[in-house]
Amino acid sequence: MTAYLDYAGLGKLRQPAVTAMRDALVDVLPHGSAEIGRIFPARRRARALAADLLACSTDEIALVTNTSTGLHLVADGLDWRPGDEVVVFDRDFPANVHPWRARGARLVWVPMRDGGYRLEDVEAAIGPATRLVAVSHVNFATGFRIDLDAVCALAHRAGALVSVDAVQSLGVLPLSMADTPVDFLAAGAHKWLCGPVGTGIFFCRREHLPRLRLPGGWFGFQGANDMLTKGAGHFRYDLSPLPTAARAEGGMYDVLGMVGLAETLAEVSEVGIAAIADRVRRLTQRLCAGLRNAGCAISASTEDDAWSGIVGFSHPAVESVALATELVASGIHVSHPDGLVRAAPHYWTGEAEVDALVAAITLRVH
């Protein structure tokens, strides 16, 4: 492979996670309950690191399997009323539309314009019946990044909640729950966090925990483990649900995935999200300049207030799916969602990989 530029599709599992997961698979899991206690702390570590990344409390974090699971915790957990409306966004990823449709809410659409969304359109979509605004921080195809602070201000002014699909930003762009007052957030860890497939993060602001009917497996109750660790007299069914988001995590979980997730989150913390964003910004600027010189059209604004790690583009001389297919066949891994070629470099991407993509396109179209 000459270049890997598809972190928006699937991140490359980082070596610290590979090593830790391999060690657990070889040295722990083959020994069953005799050794598994060695890796149980990984989930607690992952939760703490996720809370640190989002600048929130560990009580507000649940570790889930993917973005869809997290969004469904909100859609299935709220007490919907007849006539409730949910503001959704044209050409958003289906995972952020289907959950609200399934609950019977009336969907009010914000149109996409020039690859992005305008705040005046968001404001126009919010009305007296708006219960929730379901927004993606970054559009999966064009790469447009919306101003979440402004969206929250518009929604909260109308008494509406804000639920964010952050799968295309968490791990590459700074996002603080202490500064940006979103109510709910979900993000799979398999893209920009470069974590194991089947792991993810869900955030629920503390004051909303009582209003969500979160599913609770047997381990979602206070003192659930006492019957296994404290001897006779602790086997009870009348336990209170955990007062934290973790009550949604249920019973036995992917312990191997948690080992890997903890390592990937630790690496992001060590490098620093600001440093990651700064490097990716420079890489995408380099990429956009080269693509424009090759005659490509960039699908969305790349200004400071709208850029992301995703660069969606097209060229008038060649169909996008065909171009992306040719690039992948040549060893330059990109993708082609929604009729665009999508390139998504990360902190660990080399300048030579970006230049290889530009050179291949230049050669193809000239």
Side-chain angles (χ1 to χ4, degrees):
M1 186 186 302
T2 304
Y4 189 81
L5 298 164
D6 193 28
Y7 285 90
L10 184 64
K12 295 169 68 175
L13 189 65
R14 300 286 302 149
Q15 191 57 48
V18 172
T19 300
M21 293 173 74
R22 181 186 292 120
D23 289 347
L25 194 59
V26 172
D27 299 332
V28 175
L29 294 181
H31 303 283
S33 62
E35 296 291 340
I36 197 168
R38 291 167 50 187
I39 58 176
F40 277 154
R43 181 163 69 164
R44 184 164 58 250
R45 181 178 176 227
R47 191 189 316 282
L49 288 163
D52 184 63
L53 178 61
L54 284 169
C56 66
S57 166
T58 54
D59 289 350
E60 297 172 306
I61 294 291
L63 299 172
V64 294
T65 53
N66 48 51
T67 310
S68 293
T69 298
L71 295 175
H72 267 287
L73 290 175
V74 182
D76 300 342
L78 287 174
D79 182 19
W80 295 95
R81 305 176 298 246
D84 279 346
E85 295 179 352
V86 175
V87 173
V88 292
F89 291 72
D90 181 37
R91 311 201 82 78
D92 196 359
F93 197 75
N96 203 21
V97 175
H98 290 320
W100 323 109
R101 186 190 300 276
R103 303 313 301 173
R106 177 176 177 266
L107 304 186
V108 181
W109 294 88
V110 176
M112 174 175 276
R113 303 182 193 274
D114 301 319
Y117 306 103
R118 299 177 184 176
L119 290 174
E120 56 265 33
D121 289 330
V122 178
E123 184 175 20
I126 297 172
T130 302
R131 185 75 182 282
L132 181 139
V133 176
V135 61
S136 287
H137 191 194
V138 171
N139 182 268
F140 76 103
T142 70
F144 176 82
R145 172 170 53 91
I146 201 165
D147 184 341
L148 285 181
D149 292 294
V151 171
C152 288
L154 292 171
H156 292 162
R157 188 174 67 192
L161 299 165
V162 177
S163 175
V164 177
D165 177 340
V167 74
Q168 296 294 1
S169 62
L170 194 61
V172 64
L173 298 173
L175 183 55
S176 166
M177 299 298 93
D179 298 330
T180 301
V182 305
D183 300 293
F184 312 103
L185 178 146
H190 62 288
K191 296 182 186 288
W192 297 97
L193 283 171
C194 300
V197 172
T199 61
I201 295 167
F202 172 69
F203 163 83
C204 175
R205 196 164 293 278
R206 187 190 305 272
E207 57 263 35
H208 298 317
L209 284 168
R211 72 195 300 179
L212 277 190
R213 298 187 306 273
L214 292 176
W218 78 273
F219 209 63
F221 294 83
Q222 298 181 67
N225 206 41
D226 289 352
M227 68 173 184
L228 300 178
T229 60
K230 294 187 176 181
H234 292 90
F235 192 102
R236 298 173 51 192
Y237 295 111
D238 58 338
L239 302 176
S240 299
L242 289 173
T244 68
R247 74 174 182 263
E249 293 173 0
M252 194 57 174
Y253 58 96
D254 180 1
V255 290
L256 192 61
M258 286 301 104
V259 168
L261 180 61
E263 292 299 325
T264 59
L265 287 168
E267 187 173 31
V268 169
S269 177
E270 181 180 352
V271 174
I273 193 64
I276 291 173
D278 180 66
R279 173 159 174 78
V280 173
R281 176 58 164 153
R282 287 183 277 112
L283 287 171
T284 56
Q285 287 176 324
R286 183 186 188 103
L287 175 57
C288 288
L291 290 173
R292 290 189 177 104
N293 286 338
C296 294
I298 308 300
S299 61
S301 172
T302 58
E303 296 299 316
D304 287 344
D305 62 349
W307 77 277
S308 73
I310 294 173
V311 177
F313 63 94
S314 60
H315 195 284
V318 57
E319 195 271 331
S320 293
V321 174
L323 178 57
T325 302
E326 291 177 23
L327 289 168
V328 171
S330 72
I332 300 171
H333 206 82
V334 295
S335 54
H336 51 83
D338 201 21
L340 295 170
V341 181
R342 182 179 68 184
H346 208 328
Y347 177 85
W348 297 277
T349 303
E351 285 85 354
E353 294 180 87
V354 170
D355 294 346
L357 171 60
V358 172
I361 292 175
T362 302
L363 181 65
R364 173 63 177 81
V365 300
H366 288 92

